[in-house]
């Protein structure tokens, strides 16, 4: 792999190490990373901000963080170093002392932040060892000078009193409940452990300490913030024990370094659950056996290094399943590293915890999690399988679904309820994608409850049938699916009619009998319905296949008849039966979602509807920064359309570039064979291509953001809501499957590229169902699409599906386009 250095004055990609290297702490916005990928998670910014939680960011928050604070990014895993009279932090914040050197490397599941001041350097490696419920912070201190130095190190975390929402609001109680214990070099946080909780947290270091603090007030002193703690100014700790107020964990260590000497300290911050009858070693004294065992697993640099190596090895393996080797370094970087990494993060987090999602609001979205899965399934298929079963278990018997479920309980969220009528068909997508990737048809026979009620269980296949039937049973007067509260676009609330600023557009009871219809769901029904039919055929369920086909044909008929506006597809019919997204309207004449789904499904391809629709997208919706959602944006609140019209023009669902749906258009372009435009759209939003826009974008240059302000915005090109977005999974599918054309099928890997004509070729290594395919694609005639021949291990293959082979074997594939 090449290692092109990209300089945008904030940092660059180091592809060999799969890292993004940030060279100044003063990024336009906190640029973060995620540590942990199963139970224990941390969010960590390039200046040490962020927090940790166990499984659920709301109910098991270990450390405190202050969202929307001034200045931004307040609260985190801080270190203070006192060298003589001068104090500094290796992550620059919170002290903000100018550093002589600074570097933050965000890698796959780890972050290393290094600061240097007055010839002392401190490098802290943060990561969550696999299978552990803790994070390691290995601090390496080096004296680069020629005199012996004695420095003072203060660590710092602020405990969250577990329920992150309560912690931010319920002060009359919280200020009296906080409890800690300190023993040797370990600080234990045990608020509420004496009553109903069976868990506590600890913060340890693998060396003797010369003091500590656990009371925030005593650590900071009156009137001070994190940027000026009293103990750091005084150069000595208070050995304070917190009783209520705000408990913290801070170790104090004195370190002497000879010239050239390096010393390492391993801090561990962790979570421990205990059986009810084994919680105490003495009255009011925590039983520490389990905690000490965890701490002991990481009490030397060697042990840390071993765990770090296996984390790296794990990511090497995950990222070896799809590797593109092209002349375009940015393409390689996006596909091989960062897009897949973001897919893992969205799969884990859904929309819960980022620097834009507070971790207390949303659980796992039914639609979101199904979609996140399509970019993740090849990485860890077993986890995808379990996720599918969890999601399906929240479906209702009539095929509809809770819009969200809580990760800790895996129960549907009754407060939000259901009635988002796009939800059911996403399950069809995720399940068919899973089976195509793995060949594991057995998942379809799994008995899965409805509404988590075991007595109401059917096969997973039956769940899909009910998803499908939900749509056919809920059609409106134009033969198009009823929209319910909303479809994919949460903000197109056509049945809502809200006049009360205190009610949520998403949960408000619908008015007027819910007459509005969605063309997006119609297209979605055809697209994923076709997958369903194909699945039925694979299972030899011929009758069900033809029954389903009949409904799909009839939906295609309704779309052509009632949802075609002349140059593009309508978006919907509103509650009065009036068209939405039509040239007859003054505002929002055209929307992206119905163009995306109807073209991906190839509706009206022969009659030229796909061409016209996509040409209209290009003409009206595309701009320098991507493709906007609707145009022209609404300029005033339209009660009959709901939340979409509440956003100022050019932002979010009202004329913003909602990156999630741009790949639908890329895929649509490949349906009509336009590889040039498909790829151009890809490069417009793919992070690796935005080197000249990093400052404008503000958010991390290595991941997709949910939204980039659109052409009608006051600040076009400015991104918001990075990391947790369906953009990651969909763009990955668009580039790897529709553009690069390596697409899992029920019976093997299908090869069907649709690329820019100028490309001469590229190679892909794809590990699929345990078999390694080394695929060389040549494009001697400069076409976008079409295959002249395929050979596997020198033998030519009929059609474009590669045969399956024995697990563990490797095969050479040569594809000639033309
Ligand atoms: C948010 C939601 C997603 C929705 C999209 C469009 O990203 O998480 O479910 O589809 O907005 O409204
Ligand atoms: C708002 C956002 C939308 C999100 C929804 C659900 O409507 O605009 O993107 O999906 O909230 O929280």
């Amino acid at each position: 792999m090449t290692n092109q250095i990209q300089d945008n004055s904030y940092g660059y990609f180091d592809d060999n190490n799969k890292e993004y290297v940030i060279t100044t702490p003063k990024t336009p916005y906190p640029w973060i990373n995620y540590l942990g990928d199963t139970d224990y998670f941390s969010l960590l910014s390039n200046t040490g901000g962020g927090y940790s939680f166990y499984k659920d960011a709301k109910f098991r928050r270990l450390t405190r963080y202050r969202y929307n604070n001034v200045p931004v990014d307040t609260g985190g895993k801080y270190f203070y170093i006192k060298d003589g009279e001068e104090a500094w932090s290796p992550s620059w914040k919170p002290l903000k002392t100018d550093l002589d050197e600074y570097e933050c490397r965000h890698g796959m599941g780890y972050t290393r932040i290094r600061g240097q001041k007055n010839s002392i350097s401190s490098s802290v490696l943060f990561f969550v060892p696999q299978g552990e419920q803790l994070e390691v912070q290995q601090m390496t201190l080096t004296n680069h000078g020629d005199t012996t130095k004695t420095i003072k190190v203060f660590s710092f975390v602020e405990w969250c009193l577990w329920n992150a929402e309560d912690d931010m609001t319920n002060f009359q109680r919280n200020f009296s409940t906080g409890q800690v214990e300190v023993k040797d070099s370990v600080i234990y946080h045990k608020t509420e452990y004496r009553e109903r909780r069976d868990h506590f947290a600890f913060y340890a270091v693998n060396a003797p300490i010369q003091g500590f603090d656990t009371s925030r007030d005593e650590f900071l002193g009156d009137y001070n913030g994190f940027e000026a703690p009293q103990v750091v100014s005084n150069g000595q700790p208070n050995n304070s024990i917190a009783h209520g107020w705000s408990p913290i964990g801070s170790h104090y260590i004195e370190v002497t370094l000879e010239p050239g000497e390096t010393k390492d300290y391993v801090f561990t911050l962790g979570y421990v659950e205990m059986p009810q009858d084994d919680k105490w070693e003495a009255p009011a004294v925590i039983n520490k056996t389990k905690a000490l065992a965890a701490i002991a697993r990481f009490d030397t640099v060697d042990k840390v290094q071993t765990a770090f190596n296996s984390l790296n090895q794990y990511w090497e393996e995950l990222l070896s399943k799809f590797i593109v080797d092209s002349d375009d370094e940015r393409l390689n970087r996006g596909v091989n590293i960062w897009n897949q990494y973001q897919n893992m993060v969205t799969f884990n987090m859904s929309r819960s915890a980022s620097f834009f999602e507070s971790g207390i609001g949303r659980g796992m979205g039914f639609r979101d999690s199904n979609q996140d899965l399509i970019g993740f399934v090849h990485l860890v298929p077993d986890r995808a399988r379990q996720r599918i079963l969890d999601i399906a278990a929240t479906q209702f018997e009539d095929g509809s679904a809770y819009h969200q479920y809580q990760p800790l309980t895996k129960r549907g969220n009754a407060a939000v309820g259901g009635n988002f009528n796009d939800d059911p068909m996403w399950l069809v997508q995720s399940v068919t994608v899973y089976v195509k990737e793995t060949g594991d048809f057995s998942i379809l026979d799994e008995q899965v409850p409805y509404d988590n009620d075991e007595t109401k269980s059917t096969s997973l296949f039956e769940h899909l049938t009910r998803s499908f039937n939900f749509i056919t049973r809920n059609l409106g007067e134009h033969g198009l699916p009823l929209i319910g509260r909303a479809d994919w676009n949460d903000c197109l609330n056509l049945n809502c009619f809200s006049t009360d600023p205190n009610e949520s557009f998403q949960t408000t009871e619908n008015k007027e009998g819910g007459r509005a219809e969605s063309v997006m769901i119609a297209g979605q029904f055809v697209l994923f319905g076709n997958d369903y039919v194909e699945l039925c055929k694979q299972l030899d369920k011929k009758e069900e296949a033809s029954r389903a086909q009949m409904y799909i044909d009839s939906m295609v008929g309704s779309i052509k008849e009632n949802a075609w506006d002349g140059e593009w597809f309508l978006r919907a019919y509103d509650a009065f039966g009036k068209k939405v997204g039509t040239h007859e309207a003054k505002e929002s004449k055209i929307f992206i979602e119905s163009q995306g789904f109807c073209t991906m499904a190839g509706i009206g391809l022969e009659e030229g509807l796909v061409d016209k629709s996509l040409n209209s997208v290009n003409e009206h919706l595309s701009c320098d920064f991507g493709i906007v959602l609707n145009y022209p944006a609404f300029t005033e609140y339209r009660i009959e359309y709901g939340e979409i019209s509440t956003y100022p023009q050019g932002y979010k669902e009202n004329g913003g570039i909602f990156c999630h749906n741009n790949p639908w258009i890329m895929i649509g372009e490949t349906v009509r064979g336009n590889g040039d435009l498909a790829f151009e759209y890809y490069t417009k939003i793919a992070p690796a291509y935005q080197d000249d826009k990093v400052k404008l974008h503000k958010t991390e240059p290595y991941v997709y953001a949910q939204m980039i302000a659109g052409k009608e915005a006051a600040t076009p090109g400015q991104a918001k809501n990075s990391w947790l977005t369906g953009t990651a999974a969909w763009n990955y599918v668009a580039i790897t499957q529709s553009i690069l054309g390596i697409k899992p099928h029920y019976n093997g890997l299908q090869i069907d590229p649709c690329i820019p004509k100028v490309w001469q070729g590229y190679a892909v290594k794809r590990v699929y169902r345990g078999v390694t395919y080394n695929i060389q694609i040549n494009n001697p005639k400069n076409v976008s699409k079409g295959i002249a021949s395929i050979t596997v291990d020198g033998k030519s293959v009929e059609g474009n599906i590669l045969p399956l082979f024995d697990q563990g074997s490797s095969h050479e594939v040569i594809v000639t386009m033309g």
Side-chain angles (χ1 to χ4, degrees):
M1 202 185 297
T2 48
N3 188 26
Q4 194 210 2
I5 302 296
Q6 168 194 335
D7 187 11
N8 58 42
S9 74
Y10 300 102
Y12 59 90
F13 288 97
D14 176 349
D15 292 344
N16 285 342
N17 289 309
K18 300 187 171 64
E19 291 173 335
Y20 189 85
V21 187
I22 303 168
T23 50
T24 165
K26 297 176 192 172
T27 47
Y29 205 70
W31 285 356
I32 74 164
N33 195 10
Y34 285 82
L35 317 179
D37 65 12
T38 38
D39 295 333
Y40 181 103
F41 296 98
S42 288
L43 283 66
L44 184 64
S45 77
N46 59 312
T47 52
Y51 60 94
S52 303
F53 61 94
Y54 176 73
K55 283 193 182 169
D56 188 310
K58 177 174 176 180
F59 291 114
R60 294 282 190 282
R61 183 84 62 101
L62 266 77
T63 61
R64 223 173 239 174
Y65 184 74
R66 287 166 179 73
Y67 278 98
N68 198 17
N69 209 289
V70 182
V72 72
D73 193 18
T74 302
K77 319 292 174 52
Y78 293 147
F79 289 99
Y80 300 89
I81 292 176
K82 185 107 193 247
D83 177 3
E85 279 315 295
E86 195 150 35
W88 54 281
S89 294
S91 55
W92 184 62
K93 281 183 84 171
L95 286 175
K96 294 202 277 184
T97 308
D98 282 336
L99 298 174
D100 299 336
E101 286 175 30
Y102 162 92
E103 184 184 83
C104 168
R105 289 180 172 261
H106 285 318
M108 306 286 107
Y110 68 89
T111 288
R112 199 192 289 273
I113 305 177
R114 182 181 181 281
Q116 183 165 325
K117 182 81 185 171
N118 298 335
S119 73
I120 296 292
S121 71
S122 163
S123 169
V124 186
L125 169 67
F126 298 81
F127 72 102
V128 176
Q130 288 184 286
E132 296 287 346
Q133 297 170 4
L134 56 80
E135 78 187 56
V136 165
Q137 307 167 351
Q138 181 188 337
M139 174 183 271
T140 306
L141 291 164
T142 305
N143 181 358
H144 301 275
D146 43 23
T147 54
T148 303
K149 283 216 171 182
T150 296
I151 57 168
K152 299 170 173 180
V153 176
F154 300 85
S155 67
F156 178 85
V157 297
E158 182 178 11
W159 302 113
C160 177
L161 308 185
W162 300 114
N163 178 328
E165 184 168 31
D166 221 47
D167 186 65
M168 287 198 325
T169 48
N170 198 5
F171 307 115
Q172 58 79 25
R173 171 180 164 81
N174 297 343
F175 286 172
S176 294
T177 57
Q179 289 192 307
V180 297
E181 252 179 72
V182 182
K183 178 95 200 297
D184 303 327
S185 299
V186 189
I187 296 163
Y188 298 88
H189 174 227
K190 60 173 185 181
T191 301
E192 293 184 350
Y193 186 66
R194 57 185 287 281
E195 26 127 346
R196 294 160 300 172
R197 295 194 182 275
D198 63 357
H199 44 270
F200 63 87
F202 64 81
Y203 192 28
V205 60
N206 70 337
I209 55 175
Q210 285 73 51
F212 61 87
D213 272 287
T214 67
S215 152
R216 192 186 74 200
D217 293 341
E218 293 209 37
F219 180 79
L220 295 180
D222 294 339
Y223 315 116
N224 297 332
F226 299 130
E227 76 294 341
Q230 187 79 58
V231 297
V232 178
S233 322
N234 293 348
Q236 65 182 54
N238 288 324
N239 299 336
S240 59
I241 293 290
H243 300 284
W245 298 108
S246 291
I248 61 158
S250 172
H251 306 95
Y252 168 70
I253 310 172
E254 287 164 9
V255 185
T256 300
L257 293 167
E258 302 300 331
E261 190 182 2
T262 288
K263 279 189 180 156
D264 284 280
Y265 293 88
V266 182
F267 295 83
T268 42
L269 173 65
Y271 170 91
V272 176
E273 258 170 29
M274 297 297 288
Q276 271 301 332
D277 53 6
D278 207 16
K279 281 167 65 169
W280 308 101
E281 74 177 39
V285 182
I286 297 177
N287 174 354
K288 306 180 176 68
T289 352
K290 217 168 145 185
L292 292 174
I295 293 165
R297 286 198 290 278
F298 302 97
D299 60 0
T300 67
V301 170
D302 280 352
K303 292 179 189 176
V304 170
Q305 191 58 44
T306 306
F308 187 56
N309 289 348
S310 56
L311 178 70
N312 290 335
Q313 186 56 34
Y314 172 71
W315 272 102
E316 267 318 297
E317 257 166 58
L318 286 184
L319 298 181
S320 69
K321 297 182 180 181
F322 194 114
I323 300 176
V324 60
D325 182 7
S326 76
D327 302 336
D328 181 347
E329 278 130 355
R330 292 179 171 86
L331 175 65
N332 302 348
R333 167 183 305 147
V335 170
N336 298 343
I337 306 172
W338 291 98
N339 199 165
Q340 297 195 61
Y341 185 62
Q342 191 177 0
N343 291 347
M344 169 69 91
V345 172
T346 57
F347 178 86
N348 287 333
M349 295 291 127
S350 190
R351 306 297 170 265
S352 66
S354 71
F355 270 30
F356 297 85
E357 300 276 10
S358 64
I360 61 176
R362 300 203 257 172
M364 313 287 285
F366 190 94
R367 92 155 71 88
D368 292 333
S369 292
N370 276 304
Q371 290 172 85
D372 292 342
L373 196 137
I374 67 174
F376 171 83
V377 62
H378 68 290
L379 293 174
V380 193
D382 287 349
R383 289 187 68 199
R385 188 181 206 274
Q386 187 55 49
R387 177 65 57 77
I388 286 173
L389 299 175
D390 290 345
I391 297 174
T394 67
Q395 194 176 20
F396 292 112
E397 278 183 289
D398 71 352
S400 66
Y402 278 113
H403 196 47
Q404 295 171 7
Y405 73 96
Q406 293 309 127
L408 213 54
T409 60
K410 298 187 177 177
R411 300 273 149 158
N413 183 343
V416 178
N419 211 7
F420 292 78
N421 287 351
D422 64 315
D423 274 331
M425 287 307 284
W426 297 114
L427 184 65
V428 176
Q429 181 192 28
S430 68
V431 173
T432 52
V433 162
Y434 168 81
V435 177
K436 288 180 193 176
E437 173 70 31
T438 58
D440 171 21
F441 286 90
S442 78
I443 193 175
L444 298 161
D445 300 327
E446 291 282 352
Q447 293 296 305
V448 184
Y450 292 91
D451 197 0
N452 291 103
D453 179 347
E454 296 286 343
T455 64
K456 302 183 213 149
S457 294
T458 69
S459 68
L460 179 63
F461 181 81
E462 171 70 18
H463 279 257
L464 303 190
T465 310
R466 293 194 192 184
S467 285
F468 188 91
N469 292 348
F470 177 82
I471 306 297
T472 64
R473 273 202 323 274
N474 288 282
L475 299 178
E477 62 214 62
H478 298 90
L480 302 166
L482 294 174
I483 198 168
R485 289 187 203 280
D487 58 23
W488 171 87
N489 188 333
D490 274 333
C491 299
L492 190 63
N493 316 116
L494 299 179
N495 296 308
C496 183
F497 295 87
S498 179
T499 51
D500 178 356
N502 296 322
E503 65 191 17
S504 148
F505 283 97
Q506 261 106 59
T507 53
T508 298
E509 220 26 74
N510 284 336
K511 313 278 190 310
E512 310 258 329
R515 206 176 137 194
E517 294 161 82
S518 162
V519 181
M520 178 261 150
I521 304 179
Q524 181 202 29
F525 176 77
V526 175
L527 183 68
F528 302 146
N530 284 331
D531 288 328
Y532 176 70
V533 168
E534 220 177 304
L535 178 66
C536 292
K537 289 182 181 159
Q538 292 288 326
L539 297 170
D540 214 24
K541 295 179 190 285
K542 295 200 184 89
E543 236 166 80
E544 178 59 3
S546 49
R547 183 191 77 91
Q549 189 63 55
M550 204 186 71
Y551 282 108
I552 293 169
D553 294 346
S554 132
M555 187 70 77
V556 170
S558 302
I559 293 172
K560 288 183 185 170
E561 198 169 320
N562 298 322
W564 181 248
D565 191 55
E567 296 295 322
W568 56 77
F569 295 99
L570 295 175
R571 177 63 177 84
Y573 281 96
D574 69 15
F576 308 105
K578 283 169 52 186
K579 296 173 188 170
V580 180
T582 166
H583 69 282
E584 295 156 20
K586 274 216 191 72
E587 292 179 345
S588 291
K589 292 168 184 285
I590 171 170
F591 286 78
I592 196 171
E593 302 97 325
S594 45
Q595 318 313 321
F597 270 91
C598 293
T599 61
M600 284 195 287
I603 295 164
L605 185 65
E606 313 77 34
E607 302 99 301
L609 305 193
V610 168
D611 271 332
K612 282 192 181 159
S613 159
L614 292 171
N615 292 344
S616 300
V617 167
N618 192 249
E619 184 179 340
H620 302 289
L621 300 181
S622 179
C623 71
D624 287 350
F625 305 105
I627 312 170
V628 299
L629 189 145
N630 54 313
Y631 185 81
F634 292 109
T635 57
E636 53 187 36
Y637 179 47
R638 300 283 297 270
I639 191 168
E640 72 279 29
Y641 298 148
E643 184 168 3
I644 186 169
S645 60
T646 66
Y647 285 114
Q649 296 104 277
Y651 295 96
K652 291 282 281 183
E653 282 91 337
N654 188 24
I657 295 157
F658 219 89
C659 298
H660 185 149
N661 52 37
N662 280 220
W664 301 344
I665 300 300
M666 298 168 204
I667 298 171
E669 287 292 350
T670 66
V671 169
R672 68 155 163 174
N674 192 339
D676 288 307
L677 207 44
F679 190 68
E680 187 184 316
Y681 289 145
Y682 175 77
T683 61
K684 276 191 178 177
I685 62 166
Y689 292 83
Q690 313 307 325
D691 8 351
D692 57 334
K693 302 198 189 80
V694 169
K695 188 165 185 196
L696 175 62
H697 266 175
K698 282 173 96 87
T699 57
E700 296 89 339
Y702 37 92
V703 290
Y704 285 99
Q706 179 205 55
M707 190 220 43
I708 301 170
K711 55 183 175 175
E712 294 178 274
T715 55
Q718 195 177 84
K720 288 185 188 130
N721 204 0
S722 52
W723 284 98
L724 303 184
T725 161
T727 308
W730 271 104
N731 273 283
Y732 185 72
V733 167
I735 187 68
T736 58
Q737 301 192 11
S738 297
I739 298 175
L740 298 174
I742 315 292
K743 190 171 176 152
H745 199 268
Y746 291 106
N747 310 314
L749 213 44
Q750 187 171 33
I751 310 295
D752 188 16
C754 183
I755 55 174
K757 291 191 217 54
V758 294
W759 284 14
Q760 295 181 347
Y762 54 97
V764 171
K765 176 188 162 202
R766 177 69 156 98
V767 180
Y768 176 69
R769 300 193 195 175
V771 179
T772 302
Y773 296 89
N774 295 311
I775 307 166
Q776 172 63 44
I777 295 180
N778 300 322
N779 187 22
K781 297 206 172 124
N782 286 100
V783 298
S784 271
K785 202 178 166 90
I787 288 171
S789 71
I790 298 182
T791 65
V792 178
D793 299 328
K795 290 188 217 98
S796 75
V797 168
E798 285 272 309
N800 65 352
I801 296 184
L802 305 181
L804 293 166
F805 293 99
D806 288 343
Q807 297 249 337
S809 61
S810 278
H811 302 275
E812 305 303 309
V813 182
I814 295 179
V815 178
T816 309
M817 295 180 68

